[in-house]
Amino acid sequence: MKKYCLDLTVKSVEHINEKYVLIKLTDENPLPEMMPGQFVEVQVDGSKTTFLRRPISIHNVDREDNTLHLLIACIGDGTRQLGTLTVGAKVNIVLPLGNGFTIPESADKKHLLVGGGVGVAPLMYLGRKIKEMGGEPTFLLGARSKKELLLIDEYEKIGRVFITTEDGSEGEKGFVTNHSILSKESFDLISTCGPKPMMMAVANYAVKSGTNCEVSLENKMACGVGACLCCVEDTLDGHVCVCKDGPVINIKKLKWQN
C-alpha cells in the first residue's frame, strides 16, 4: 500500500479526560486508503525533548467527513505536546504504515475485538468495517476503573459491548479474560490490542479454545518503515520489524506459547 507524507489540518480536538485526547484531522484532498490496525507516524513540533515522530494507531477514518481520527494517550513529552494542538493547526503525518487486521470474508463469522486501555483505539475502525459488511462485532473492553473506559457509547453504536474493570466499578470485575462471555460463546476470530500481558492472556485463551487470533504489538517504534530496528520481535519466522511486518501478527507466528 502506497505511503504518503501529508500536512493535515486539525479539524477538532476533544479532551476525553486528563489523559486522553481525540484529534480529528482533515485534508483538502480525499485521505488515502487505510486499513484497520495500521498506524501513522506523527511529527511533534514544539517539544525540546522530542526528536522522533510518534507512532499512533488509526482510531477511525470517516470518509463522509474526510477525517482521520487519532486517540492519543498523553503520557510522554511528545504525546503531551500533541495534546495541546488546536483547531486549524497543521500536523505532518506519514501514513498508512504497517499491516492491518484480517477482515472476515463473511458477515456470518463471529468476530471478538478485545482491547485494554488505549489499546481499544484501533478496534473502532475494525468494528466499523465489520459492520459495513453486514456483520456484528463483539467488543470486550477492559480498564482499571470506570473513569478510564474510553468512548464506550461510540463502540455501542457499532456492535455488542462487554466490559471489565479491575476494581469492579463498571461491568464485570477482573481482567478481560475473566469475563463470562468467554465461557458462554465461541468465536471464529479474535483481534486484540493493549498491554502485552493482556494480549498474552487473550492469546492463551485463543489457543485453548482453538480460536484464530491476531494481536497488535506495541513494541517501541521510531522510523515506522523497518530501518532503525528498534521494534524487532523474535518470531517463529525469525526476527521481524513490528512496524513493517506488523503491528498486527497472528499468534501462530509468535513464541508466546512455545
Side-chain angles (χ1 to χ4, degrees):
M1 186 176 289
K2 185 177 179 180
K3 299 175 179 61
Y4 300 82
C5 185
L6 303 174
D7 287 316
L8 301 183
T9 302
V10 176
K11 187 169 184 176
S12 69
V13 179
E14 177 186 352
H15 291 273
I16 299 171
N17 54 38
E18 66 275 5
K19 182 178 178 181
Y20 295 97
V21 60
L22 176 63
I23 299 176
K24 298 181 181 180
L25 304 118
T26 189
D27 193 34
E28 57 185 15
N29 299 311
L31 291 170
E33 183 66 25
M34 291 172 263
M35 297 301 296
Q38 291 185 302
F39 68 100
V40 303
E41 286 276 2
V42 184
Q43 181 172 301
V44 181
D45 295 322
S47 172
K48 295 181 179 179
T49 61
T50 306
F51 305 102
L52 300 173
R53 292 174 181 266
R54 288 295 180 264
I56 307 292
S57 297
I58 295 172
H59 176 57
N60 198 11
V61 179
D62 188 331
R63 290 294 169 189
E64 292 185 4
D65 202 29
N66 196 40
T67 53
L68 164 67
H69 302 184
L70 302 180
L71 179 60
I72 300 174
C74 302
I75 55 177
D77 289 347
T79 48
R80 282 196 294 268
Q81 184 65 30
L82 293 176
T84 67
L85 287 170
T86 56
V87 174
K90 291 289 186 179
V91 185
N92 187 264
I93 294 182
V94 178
L95 76 164
L97 298 170
N99 298 312
F101 289 108
T102 298
I103 306 296
E105 297 179 358
S106 170
D108 296 330
K109 296 293 185 180
K110 293 189 65 176
H111 200 152
L112 178 66
L113 286 59
V114 186
V118 77
V120 305
L123 304 183
M124 175 73 74
Y125 192 28
L126 175 59
R128 284 193 59 194
K129 285 290 188 181
I130 295 170
K131 184 178 181 180
E132 286 172 3
M133 63 177 293
E136 182 185 34
T138 298
F139 295 98
L140 177 52
L141 309 177
R144 288 190 177 91
S145 65
K146 180 179 180 179
K147 68 178 182 179
E148 293 189 37
L149 291 168
L150 303 172
L151 304 171
I152 297 300
D153 291 346
E154 295 301 314
Y155 288 95
E156 289 177 337
K157 294 176 184 177
I158 299 172
R160 301 188 301 161
V161 176
F162 298 90
I163 293 170
T164 66
T165 51
E166 293 178 27
D167 64 0
S169 54
E170 185 74 12
E172 295 188 12
K173 184 176 181 178
F175 302 116
V176 288
T177 46
N178 301 134
H179 199 285
S180 59
I181 188 67
L182 298 180
S183 61
K184 295 176 181 178
E185 298 185 24
S186 59
F187 297 90
D188 299 298
L189 175 63
I190 298 174
S191 300
T192 183
C193 183
K196 187 173 181 179
M198 183 209 79
M199 291 195 293
M200 292 183 74
V202 172
N204 185 53
Y205 162 80
V207 170
K208 290 181 178 179
S209 62
T211 309
N212 195 22
C213 179
E214 294 179 334
V215 300
S216 179
L217 299 182
E218 295 190 326
N219 298 35
K220 291 184 178 180
M221 294 182 278
C223 70
V225 293
C228 68
L229 305 181
C230 289
C231 62
V232 168
E233 177 80 13
D234 187 16
T235 73
L236 296 175
D237 294 331
H239 290 86
V240 301
C241 290
V242 169
C243 68
K244 182 172 64 70
D245 302 302
V248 177
I249 295 180
N250 194 292
I251 61 170
K252 295 177 182 178
K253 297 183 179 181
L254 297 173
K255 292 186 175 182
W256 292 356
Q257 307 298 321
N258 294 273

